[in-house]
Amino acid sequence: MIKNERQYNVACERIEELLKVVGNDTPATDKSFIELDLLSDLVADYEEAHYPVKEPVLADVMKLRMYEMGINQMKLSELLEISPSRVSDYLTGKSEPTLPVARNICRKLNINASVVLGV
């Protein structure tokens, strides 16, 4: 178990070194492979405890999807069939979508319902 940030940093440095010598063709019985596997698990456990990944917020996911689709707020409002001001409210987190709008967001932007509904 990694107990502190210093041990975490040393383990990460060692992983970087091992990645240079361990490849896809390295046998699972190789000492470097085993060490890399063990250190990776220890680092993952430490990161899970000390650097948890937060659940995505609807506004951030919508902004990302807008970027990926190459659309602006006006195009998004047309796509979702709602007013631009309502889109702005969703993107700033000032309000939550109604159930019919949430369905549209899920379907038209391909965003998971659990993110849209905040569950």
Side-chain angles (χ1 to χ4, degrees), residues 1-117:
M1 170 186 273
I2 296 175
K3 297 177 184 172
N4 57 48
E5 195 72 18
R6 175 73 180 129
Q7 289 178 348
Y8 169 75
N9 289 329
V10 169
C12 288
E13 289 173 13
R14 182 63 183 147
I15 287 172
E16 289 296 322
E17 293 169 1
L18 290 168
L19 286 173
K20 294 175 184 172
V21 296
V22 174
N24 291 338
D25 57 340
T26 305
T29 55
D30 183 85
K31 290 190 315 185
S32 294
F33 180 91
I34 293 169
E35 183 182 1
L36 177 61
D37 190 44
L38 291 171
L39 281 175
S40 297
D41 288 343
L42 291 173
V43 165
D45 291 343
Y46 184 84
E47 287 175 344
E48 190 174 305
H50 293 86
Y51 305 110
V53 177
K54 297 177 185 175
E55 292 296 318
V57 177
L58 176 59
D60 293 336
V61 176
M62 286 178 68
K63 289 174 189 174
L64 175 62
R65 188 67 76 219
M66 287 170 57
Y67 173 78
E68 291 172 344
M69 296 172 72
I71 61 175
N72 58 23
Q73 281 185 233
M74 188 60 112
K75 293 287 185 190
L76 182 59
S77 71
E78 292 170 9
L79 180 68
L80 297 177
E81 301 172 3
I82 57 176
S83 70
S85 63
R86 183 56 59 192
V87 169
S88 178
D89 288 345
Y90 299 152
L91 293 177
T92 59
K94 290 182 182 174
S95 68
E96 297 290 320
T98 62
L99 188 55
V101 174
R103 278 192 204 112
N104 265 344
I105 291 171
C106 290
R107 290 180 183 143
K108 294 182 179 177
L109 298 181
N110 195 26
I111 297 176
N112 190 299
S114 64
V115 174
V116 176
L117 298 175

